[in-house]
């Protein structure tokens, strides 16, 4: 039987500042892309350390626009990870390119050695995903990209607030990617309800992406002829309708100001989980890396299934019975019917992702949780583990089955 929800999977942290700014935007008469979106772009650019930031109405739109603006299309191959949200793969397919999956490493991120094996003469770009908010091995990825003249577009949907060797993800000084795409979807580390941002160091690329977010309309032409008549515009590309509104940016401006304090709470809660679960043989805690600052967007706990009598989905059901909502990130790309039927993406390209997938449970982790809720999740997980421990007193093959047959006969 299902009890009442005690710990939802997510709750956004929206304060009075966001509410007042949205109200002020509504009263200002300027609802769509305008002064607040431009401020939000400047604020994100400054926060991560990038010369340009282009606002978009989702990270999906950001990935699509970045791929299109870099000229990636039919005949090209783009390498990405199997352990990601479908948007990463869909946008590559939508520009007409072929997706190639490079398997994950022990940290759950794309494995540079696997990328190396996937590079061919048609490869044009790498789209690494900072899984759960843990930065990928970017030095290895940038090195491969330089050697093979590939673009790098980071899917940083989980990674606003993350740092790599002390530098924010999205930063554009020193060695850097061509574009970094953030998500401000409702469940992400900061939100505009729906929204995203692309950072880049390349002014021409930024201008092109900006143009593509608004039908391919050329702003420069508008400005050139604006004095003569503001009705004039030129369509310079077959663009999209991907612009972020000032109503959304009104939320984002204040979310960004709270990001550091929200990240501190996430980190504290994640460390509580890490401390509690690292003691338990039936569990494996999600990897961290001392060279990076984890954004802790997700807490993907790993079950040591061979030590448990229940499956991952039974574990999730037991959590639900305790009023705790958990999730799974992600169903590996080749397991989805669409890719199986309409692409050449197959599971044999990513055995590590397929092996990890049945072990993954994302526990609730967000700053709106109370410390009591965090403790309740810890206690509940441990209780479920104790109730479903596999009896492994004797390490003789066949012995487990015999022990269980005896227990079952009881
Ligand atoms: C959420 C997510 C996206 C898509 O973000 P939207 O802003 O909802 O479009 C892309 N990639 C990953 C890895 C995500 O988790």
């Amino acid at each position: 039987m299902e009890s009442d929800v005690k710990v939802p999977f997510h709750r956004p942290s929206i304060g009075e500042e966001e509410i007042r700014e949205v109200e002020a935007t509504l009263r200002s008469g300027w609802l769509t892309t305008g002064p607040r979106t431009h401020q939000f772009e400047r604020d994100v650019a400054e926060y991560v350390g990038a010369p340009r930031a282009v606002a978009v109405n989702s990270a999906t739109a950001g990935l699509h626009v970045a791929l299109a603006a870099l000229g990636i299309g039919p005949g090209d191959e783009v390498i990405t990870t199997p352990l990601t949200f479908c948007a990463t793969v869909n946008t590559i397919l939508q520009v007409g390119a072929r997706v190639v999956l490079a398997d994950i490493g022990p940290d759950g991120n794309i494995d540079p050695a696997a990328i190396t094996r996937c590079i061919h003469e048609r490869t044009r770009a790498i789209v690494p995903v900072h899984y759960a908010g843990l930065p990928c091995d970017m030095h290895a990825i940038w090195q491969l990209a330089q050697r093979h003249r590939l673009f790098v577009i980071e899917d940083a949907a989980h990674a606003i607030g993350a740092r790599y060797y002390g530098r924010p993800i999205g930063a554009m000084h020193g060695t850097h990617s061509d574009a970094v795409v953030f998500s401000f979807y409702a469940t992400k580390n900061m939100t505009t309800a729906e929204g995203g941002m692309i950072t880049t160091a390349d002014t021409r690329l930024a201008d092109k992406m900006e143009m593509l977010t608004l039908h391919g309309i050329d702003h420069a032409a508008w400005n050139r002829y604006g004095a003569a008549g503001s009705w004039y515009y030129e369509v310079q590309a077959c663009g999209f309708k991907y612009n972020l509104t000032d109503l959304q940016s009104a939320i984002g401006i204040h979310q960004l100001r709270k990001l550091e304090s929200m990240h501190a709470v996430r980190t504290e809660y994640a460390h509580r989980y890490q401390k509690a679960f690292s003691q338990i043989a039936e569990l494996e805690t999600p990897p961290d890396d001392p060279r990076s600052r984890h954004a802790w967007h997700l807490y993907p706990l790993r079950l040591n299934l061979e030590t448990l009598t229940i499956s991952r989905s039974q574990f999730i059901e037991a959590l639900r019975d305790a009023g705790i909502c958990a999730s799974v990130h992600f169903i590996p790309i080749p397991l989805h019917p669409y890719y199986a039927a309409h692409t050449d993406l197959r599971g044999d390209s990513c055995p590590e992702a397929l092996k990890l997938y049945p072990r993954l449970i994302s526990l609730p982790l967000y700053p709106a949780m109370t410390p009591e809720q965090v403790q309740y999740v810890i206690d509940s997980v441990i209780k479920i583990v104790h109730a479903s421990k596999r009896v492994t007193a004797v390490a003789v093959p066949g012995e487990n089955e015999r022990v269980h047959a005896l227990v079952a006969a009881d």
Side-chain angles (χ1 to χ4, degrees):
M1 212 193 67
E2 218 173 288
S3 50
D4 290 338
V5 171
K6 293 195 177 76
V7 189
F9 185 66
H10 180 72
R11 233 176 74 84
S13 298
I14 299 292
E16 286 306 314
E17 300 83 356
E18 286 88 335
I19 293 166
R20 276 198 296 270
E21 194 76 37
V22 168
E23 192 186 334
T25 309
L26 286 168
R27 293 188 192 285
S28 79
W30 196 282
L31 304 184
T32 187
T33 310
R36 283 184 172 83
T37 299
H38 296 132
Q39 185 193 333
F40 186 38
E41 287 176 330
R42 287 193 300 271
D43 291 352
V44 172
E46 191 192 343
Y47 173 79
V48 301
R52 285 289 290 275
V54 177
V56 277
N57 60 14
S58 71
T60 308
L63 291 166
H64 194 187
V65 151
L67 289 159
L70 288 168
I72 294 163
D76 297 334
E77 292 187 0
V78 179
I79 298 171
T80 191
T81 170
L83 199 64
T84 188
F85 186 55
C86 57
T88 320
V89 165
N90 286 346
T91 48
I92 298 168
L93 296 173
Q94 281 154 1
V95 295
R98 181 170 172 251
V99 176
V100 177
L101 298 177
D103 207 356
I104 58 168
D107 62 355
N109 278 327
I110 194 165
D111 177 4
I115 296 176
T116 307
R117 292 193 291 274
C118 293
I119 295 173
H120 302 292
E121 63 272 27
R122 288 182 174 279
T123 309
R124 291 284 306 284
I126 307 169
V127 182
V129 177
H130 306 297
Y131 174 77
L134 180 67
C136 293
D137 182 353
M138 290 311 301
H139 287 313
I141 292 169
W142 287 325
Q143 208 169 47
L144 283 172
Q146 259 161 10
R147 189 177 316 146
H148 300 276
R149 304 178 143 272
L150 309 174
F151 296 121
V152 179
I153 303 166
E154 294 173 47
D155 179 338
H158 301 179
I160 188 93
R163 291 192 193 148
Y164 181 66
Y165 285 88
R167 220 174 57 161
I169 291 293
M172 289 287 156
H173 41 89
T175 312
H176 55 77
S177 297
D178 296 277
V180 177
V181 181
F182 297 102
S183 173
F184 308 132
Y185 180 66
T187 61
K188 299 286 159 74
N189 280 22
M190 57 171 272
T191 187
T192 59
E194 299 277 1
M197 193 73 76
I198 317 165
T199 65
T200 183
D202 183 337
T203 306
R204 279 176 56 191
L205 181 65
D207 289 343
K208 188 160 184 198
M209 292 192 296
E210 207 171 84
M211 182 175 75
L212 287 176
T213 63
L214 210 59
H215 309 290
I217 289 175
D218 182 1
H219 292 276
W222 180 294
N223 293 337
R224 267 199 310 278
Y225 296 97
S230 59
W231 53 268
Y232 188 80
Y233 61 90
E234 286 175 1
V235 175
Q236 294 285 1
C238 185
F240 310 103
K241 186 61 165 58
Y242 284 167
N243 57 302
L244 192 70
T245 69
D246 268 22
L247 275 174
Q248 294 163 308
S249 298
I251 306 170
I253 288 165
H254 292 280
Q255 286 278 291
L256 185 65
R257 289 179 192 166
K258 297 172 182 175
L259 184 64
E260 284 300 309
S261 62
M262 292 196 292
H263 177 265
V265 180
R266 279 182 184 277
T267 305
E268 194 207 317
Y269 289 170
H271 287 171
R272 283 193 197 196
Y273 282 158
Q274 295 287 70
K275 192 160 172 246
F277 301 142
S278 60
Q279 325 270 343
I280 295 168
E282 288 77 13
L283 304 173
E284 185 184 338
T285 54
D288 198 354
D289 186 338
R291 295 167 299 183
S292 293
R293 185 170 97 164
H294 202 311
W296 289 116
H297 168 55
L298 298 172
Y299 189 84
L301 186 63
R302 301 170 176 200
L303 304 178
N304 291 328
L305 288 171
E306 68 288 352
T307 65
L308 294 167
T309 58
I310 58 172
S311 68
R312 180 259 312 272
S313 57
Q314 288 169 318
F315 207 108
I316 290 175
E317 273 169 45
L319 283 170
R320 206 193 310 133
D321 289 341
I324 297 165
C325 301
S327 189
V328 175
H329 296 86
F330 290 98
I331 301 166
I333 291 298
L335 298 185
H336 291 290
Y338 176 80
Y339 308 114
H342 299 281
T343 71
D344 59 359
L345 299 174
R346 298 287 175 271
D348 51 13
S349 64
C350 50
E352 294 303 322
L354 295 188
K355 247 192 292 179
L356 182 59
Y357 163 60
R359 304 177 53 202
L360 290 172
I361 294 185
S362 298
L363 297 179
L365 176 64
Y366 46 95
M369 277 176 92
T370 65
E372 291 72 29
Q373 284 177 310
V374 176
Q375 193 56 48
Y376 179 67
V377 173
I378 291 172
D379 294 342
S380 304
V381 166
I382 291 174
K383 217 158 112 182
I384 295 165
V385 167
H386 282 305
S388 55
K389 263 186 204 210
R390 195 174 277 282
V391 184
T392 53
V394 192
V396 177
E399 191 62 22
N400 278 349
E401 286 70 18
R402 204 175 64 81
V403 168
H404 284 287
L406 289 174
V407 171
D410 254 355

